Amino acid sequence: MKILLAVDGSEIGLAAVRHLVELSKSLADLPAVTLLYVDPPLLRSVALELGSDGVERYHAENGAYAMKKARIALKRAQLPFVEKIVVGEPAESIVKQAKSGKADLIVMGTHGRGALKQLLVGSVALKVIATSPVPVVVAR
């Protein structure tokens, strides 16, 4: 089974990691896990100021920070995984990575903001659920 684990560095994202660890205990074989962090692109003016090396370093540092606790938890659970940092719109990028990696399942957290905020702002989890070709497990 191929599982895409999307994290954002938050405690909610870590709940998704813990859920995946528990889920993996019920599987006959260890899943092939892709640990994914999606970093939104910088404003063009900021990117120009930083230069290409600076932008690359910025996204790499954000990704390393966001995946640090997830990486530790997966290693502790002895679950093999590969890491991927992508720059883009989070929901769209998660679904795209699930498709390209032929994932069987997406596991992610949700901040569970109120209904009014979801209407006004939107929710990454809701967008992923609505557009994903594979099942999505959302942990809180």
Side-chain angles (χ1 to χ4, degrees):
M1 174 176 246
K2 293 182 179 180
I3 300 177
L4 180 67
L5 174 61
V7 297
D8 62 1
S10 69
E11 286 303 312
I12 299 294
L14 199 52
V17 177
R18 288 190 290 268
H19 183 76
L20 172 61
V21 168
E22 287 305 310
L23 173 68
S24 70
K25 293 176 184 176
S26 67
L27 299 174
D29 297 316
L30 287 176
V33 177
T34 299
L35 178 60
L36 175 69
Y37 170 69
V38 180
D39 205 18
L42 291 170
L43 295 173
R44 183 171 168 78
S45 59
V46 175
L48 288 171
E49 181 77 24
L50 292 176
S52 61
D53 289 343
V55 169
E56 190 175 318
R57 186 171 49 255
Y58 171 83
H59 291 301
E61 288 173 2
N62 282 352
Y65 177 79
M67 292 192 286
K68 182 178 180 180
K69 290 180 181 178
R71 186 184 305 119
I72 292 168
L74 291 172
K75 285 180 181 178
R76 188 173 294 138
Q78 298 180 337
L79 284 175
F81 63 96
V82 295
E83 296 179 20
K84 205 162 213 188
I85 299 171
V86 174
V87 177
E89 190 279 318
E92 180 182 302
S93 298
I94 291 168
V95 171
K96 183 177 178 181
Q97 289 300 310
K99 288 178 182 176
S100 68
K102 296 181 174 42
D104 299 302
L105 178 69
I106 297 171
V107 177
M108 62 187 297
T110 182
H111 292 278
R113 295 182 176 95
L116 181 58
K117 279 190 176 180
Q118 286 179 353
L119 283 174
L120 298 174
V121 178
S123 164
V124 172
L126 286 176
K127 289 177 187 174
V128 170
I129 290 166
T131 59
S132 174
V134 298
V136 180
V137 172
V138 179
R140 287 184 79 180

